[in-house]
Amino acid sequence: MDILNYGDLVILSDKKARKYMITLKEGARFSSQYGFIDHAEIINAGNGGLVKASKGEEYRVFKPTYIDYVMKIKRNAQIIYPKDTAMILMYADIYPGLNVLESGIGQGALSIALLRALGGRGRLTSIEVREDFALQSKNFIHNFLGEVDNHDIVISNIYDGFEGCFDRIVLDLPEPWHVLKHCKTGLIDGGMIVSYIPTVLQVKTYVDTLKETGYFDDIETFELIKRPWKVDGLSVRPEMWIYNHSAFIVKARKIK
């Protein structure tokens, strides 16, 4: 049994698969239409255990996954959805030891995924033009990962340039083409730049600019659509809804 402690985040899941994320606090209670549960009882149940509310409803207890955390927490900025985050990590080829630059940081969901992929080695630099987003993302990251020693948040406008030379650059910006001129010296030869872009007109401008620079190749553009399936006894069929377009992902590689 994985031990839970006060201060930990946990997910409570009911019989209808509805999930509730809470922070465990001494003397506190979780309340719902099915009654209440003392946080002390949740700790006793442990990760993966069952806990019963005062009216008899049972809840499964789990420590939150990355997807639980970024999708359940109250957000003040748009996030990159997990289905896209996973592909960004793969197409940017993120692994321990790299020096990675990202902009903008938004809520910090992608930052968490990048830091986990770096595994405590290498460094992540996040450039954000809005000080309020920088502060909230710092707290958002800390609440899930705790203290991290290899992450810097810089408040500036990346369109005006940045310091250093990076192995990878990941962008979530409205006009990412303004960053490309700085990549001539700011991205290593053979390094990759991956951009998350909402509309096809932005993609057109960005890809045209990639080609015009003369120092990018291996350019790919795609979107991801996730279609869940219902598997319940003899009822096996696609769900009535799908995770449709969220944004385009454009990957390119720096050449000499």
Side-chain angles (χ1 to χ4, degrees):
M1 183 184 295
D2 197 352
I3 297 175
L4 298 176
N5 297 289
Y6 292 117
D8 288 349
L9 287 168
V10 295
I11 291 287
L12 298 180
S13 180
D14 66 18
K15 62 184 179 182
K16 294 183 178 179
R18 291 174 298 201
K19 293 183 177 182
Y20 307 88
M21 187 167 67
I22 63 171
T23 300
L24 295 174
K25 298 177 182 179
E26 190 169 3
R29 284 177 168 178
F30 166 77
S31 297
S32 73
Q33 59 184 315
Y34 302 112
F36 64 84
I37 305 170
D38 289 327
H39 285 199
E41 295 179 37
I42 298 172
I43 288 177
N44 290 335
N47 189 23
L50 276 174
V51 65
K52 187 176 291 188
S54 56
K55 294 183 179 179
E57 178 76 3
E58 289 186 323
Y59 289 82
R60 184 67 65 181
V61 180
F62 287 117
K63 284 189 174 181
T65 64
Y66 169 83
I67 292 177
D68 289 329
Y69 183 66
V70 301
M71 297 304 293
K72 287 294 180 184
I73 201 164
K74 183 179 179 181
R75 302 190 297 266
N76 295 317
Q78 183 63 35
I79 65 167
I80 296 178
Y81 290 100
K83 72 179 179 71
D84 298 317
T85 298
M87 196 60 74
I88 288 171
L89 295 179
M90 293 298 101
Y91 271 78
D93 194 34
I94 305 296
Y95 57 85
L98 292 177
N99 189 19
V100 180
L101 174 69
E102 71 157 340
S103 185
I105 194 171
Q107 187 76 35
L110 180 60
S111 306
I112 292 174
L114 290 167
L115 287 165
R116 293 176 92 190
L118 289 174
R121 296 164 49 198
R123 193 154 206 91
L124 174 65
T125 300
S126 303
I127 296 180
E128 174 55 54
V129 70
R130 289 184 54 172
E131 189 170 358
D132 56 337
F133 279 6
L135 179 59
Q136 74 175 10
S137 63
K138 182 178 180 180
N139 294 332
F140 184 77
I141 294 163
H142 179 268
N143 288 341
F144 191 71
L145 293 181
E147 293 294 334
V148 289
D149 299 325
N150 61 332
H151 186 207
D152 300 310
I153 300 177
V154 179
I155 301 173
S156 70
N157 188 341
I158 194 172
Y159 295 160
D160 297 330
F162 55 88
E163 295 182 359
C165 185
F166 295 86
D167 302 304
R168 305 287 187 267
I169 295 176
V170 182
L171 302 176
D172 178 17
L173 301 167
E175 298 179 340
W177 49 90
H178 292 310
V179 181
L180 298 180
K181 60 180 179 253
H182 306 301
C183 295
K184 189 170 185 178
T185 56
L187 180 63
I188 66 166
D189 292 338
M192 282 177 257
I193 182 168
V194 177
S195 296
Y196 190 70
I197 304 175
T199 74
V200 72
L201 292 178
Q202 290 168 296
V203 168
K204 167 66 173 166
T205 302
Y206 180 64
V207 172
D208 284 348
T209 308
L210 280 169
K211 294 176 180 178
E212 289 166 3
T213 64
Y215 45 84
F216 284 104
D217 199 356
D218 194 22
I219 301 169
E220 292 186 55
T221 302
F222 56 90
E223 63 176 336
L224 299 170
I225 296 173
K226 176 183 174 183
R227 184 173 73 166
W229 278 64
K230 177 182 179 181
V231 181
D232 185 10
L234 295 178
S235 176
V236 181
R237 58 169 176 78
E239 293 281 6
M240 299 301 292
W241 49 270
I242 64 173
Y243 295 95
N244 211 326
H245 176 79
S246 47
F248 297 97
I249 296 173
V250 182
K251 183 262 315 186
R253 200 154 193 183
K254 173 85 177 301
I255 58 175
K256 290 187 178 181

